[in-house]
Amino acid sequence: MKTAITEMFGIEHPIIQGGMHYVGFAELAAAVSNAGGLGIITGLTQRTPELLAKEIARCHDLTDKPFGVNLTFLPAFSAPPYPEYIAAIREGGIKIVETAGRSPEQYMPALKAAGIKVIHKCTSVRHSLKAEQIGCDAVSVDGFECGGHPGEDDMPNMILLPRAAEELKIPFVASGGMADARSLVAALSMGAAGMNMGTRFIATREAPVHDNVKKAIVAASELDTRLVMRAIRNTERVLKNAGVHRLLQIEREKGAKLKIEDIHDEVAGVYPKVMIDGDMDAGAWSCGMVVGLIHDIPTVKELIDRIMADAEHLIRSRLMGLLGAENKASLEVA
Ligand SMILES: Cc1cc2nc3c(=O)[nH]c(=O)nc-3n(C[C@H](O)[C@H](O)[C@H](O)COP(=O)(O)O)c2cc1C
């Protein structure tokens, strides 16, 4: 399948693996790229720019296909040295960067000077237009369903994607709630040039996380995510667990007076405990409503091959089949 996104990034299938804290290591990024998608290493999971440089080198050893690096600009307890991270990306020969969180505007000159294509993750049409205006090459339009930070507009993809298609000139992929061929075909119909998946890729054999995480994703239903940190306008969609229960209790008690310090124990330092140790009650970790659609733990290649084969079948049989024989024939002639 050829779309503006496969052409822009030099990939076979229009499927991107979004940056994920403590999940987006070289093993997963390389597996996705080797399967014909675009794998992405999560920059800030590497505690220093030197460690990111090593992770990029490790990924180059695992694949000769294009892969990218995610740079997230979120409110953090202490700001990371972004220019040094960008230097590691540039020196590592990376040509695709996924930015997320705050606007990447201040870093665009450095990224563009290095010949890097930038895909910015946005949760609204206005932020997508801003990304287009500051020179981003593409956007990843992240609906309210998504795992991670859905923003504060609560706009689901059924509305957000066609709205993005109405306004944007640069290509975009659909992100949030994407799991299978149905997601891909629906996203393409709404104007997207591909899809970005987070949660779905965690439940794969190659995802370098504890088995408990994969099992929890398969066991969960679409009703099992919660939104946290709404009061401080840093909303995050997470999988419910004992730590999240405590966090929500504190949020209810503090109300509008909630400060990030109040929930430090439930949100800081949680990822290694969950992803490496498999402690599923440690606190808040991002997870999308799409868990309701995840029922197995395939290899990345099995997953991507299945999505592409099913998408072709969906388009050729189901969608074409819905057209009357007469219309179908005239389409084939055209
Ligand atoms: C465990 C986890 C960690 C994530 N960490 C990041 C991150 O560090 N930076 C980022 O830009 N997005 C992050 N995301 C968001 C994903 O890149 C992607 O946009 C999102 O998962 C899409 O929604 P989905 O989970 O419904 O597929 C994370 C998502 C998950 C599930």
Side-chain angles (χ1 to χ4, degrees):
M1 191 182 280
K2 267 198 174 56
T3 72
I5 285 292
T6 59
E7 298 309 281
M8 179 178 289
F9 295 141
I11 53 179
E12 197 185 340
H13 308 305
I15 299 177
I16 301 178
Q17 166 250 313
M20 286 181 281
H21 199 36
Y22 275 90
V23 182
F25 292 97
E27 288 83 0
L28 181 61
V32 173
S33 291
N34 283 334
L38 180 69
I40 294 189
I41 290 176
T42 317
L44 298 187
T45 298
Q46 304 301 323
R47 277 175 291 103
T48 64
E50 293 72 29
L51 288 171
L52 176 60
K54 285 192 183 145
E55 194 67 7
I56 291 171
R58 222 159 64 76
C59 201
H60 279 304
D61 287 343
L62 298 171
T63 183
D64 53 10
K65 302 273 175 59
F67 63 92
V69 172
N70 168 284
L71 265 188
T72 303
F73 306 108
L74 282 177
F77 289 102
S78 61
Y82 288 111
E84 284 85 345
Y85 275 97
I86 291 173
I89 289 168
R90 185 188 60 233
E91 284 153 26
I94 295 294
K95 293 294 172 202
I96 304 164
V97 165
E98 176 195 52
T99 53
R102 297 204 184 119
S103 168
E105 186 164 12
Q106 104 183 76
Y107 303 105
M108 286 303 285
L111 292 166
K112 288 280 117 193
I116 290 171
K117 296 241 183 291
V118 178
I119 177 164
H120 185 54
K121 195 152 44 190
C122 306
T123 58
S124 70
V125 174
R126 67 186 184 286
H127 290 144
S128 303
L129 284 171
K130 172 77 180 169
E132 180 175 277
Q133 186 209 324
I134 63 170
C136 291
D137 300 275
V139 281
S140 203
V141 174
D142 220 12
F144 186 52
E145 307 87 331
C146 72
H149 294 269
E152 310 303 328
D153 291 345
D154 304 359
M155 192 57 61
N157 267 334
M158 221 46 200
I159 307 297
L160 190 54
L161 297 174
R163 279 289 298 125
E166 284 177 6
E167 303 269 349
L168 285 173
K169 291 186 195 68
I170 54 174
F172 66 95
V173 296
S175 178
M178 305 286 131
D180 52 30
R182 296 170 299 184
S183 324
L184 177 60
V185 175
L188 295 171
S189 341
M190 287 191 275
M195 68 174 176
N196 178 67
M197 300 194 294
T199 307
R200 173 64 270 200
F201 275 121
I202 306 177
T204 58
R205 299 261 286 280
E206 293 91 336
V209 302
H210 198 285
D211 269 352
N212 288 354
V213 181
K214 304 181 190 187
K215 287 183 190 147
I217 287 177
V218 171
S221 90
E222 64 275 21
L223 302 174
D224 291 334
T225 69
R226 294 290 179 270
L227 293 170
V228 298
M229 296 191 279
R230 295 234 81 167
I232 53 171
R233 296 183 66 76
N234 184 29
T235 299
E236 184 177 359
R237 186 179 296 285
V238 300
L239 191 68
K240 73 173 189 192
N241 62 40
V244 168
H245 186 75
R246 279 197 310 277
L247 196 165
L248 290 170
Q249 186 76 34
I250 298 168
E251 292 195 344
R252 271 192 296 276
E253 283 161 20
K254 300 277 175 182
K257 295 202 181 82
L258 182 79
K259 294 201 176 52
I260 187 84
E261 296 78 28
D262 299 326
I263 50 171
H264 181 275
D265 291 352
E266 284 74 30
V267 299
V270 169
Y271 275 81
K273 292 183 200 154
V274 172
M275 300 297 176
I276 299 172
D277 306 337
D279 174 1
M280 298 315 294
D281 285 321
W285 63 277
S286 297
C287 182
M289 289 171 141
V290 73
V291 277
L293 297 174
I294 301 173
H295 311 301
D296 60 357
I297 306 172
T299 66
V300 166
K301 183 166 165 42
E302 280 162 3
L303 176 66
I304 291 183
D305 285 351
R306 180 168 82 199
I307 292 173
M308 295 315 297
D310 290 354
E312 188 172 339
H313 180 73
L314 253 180
I315 295 167
R316 284 193 199 283
S317 302
R318 177 163 160 71
L319 298 186
M320 292 291 282
L322 292 176
L323 300 174
E326 214 173 287
N327 290 339
K328 197 173 155 191
S330 70
L331 266 181
E332 274 160 12
V333 171

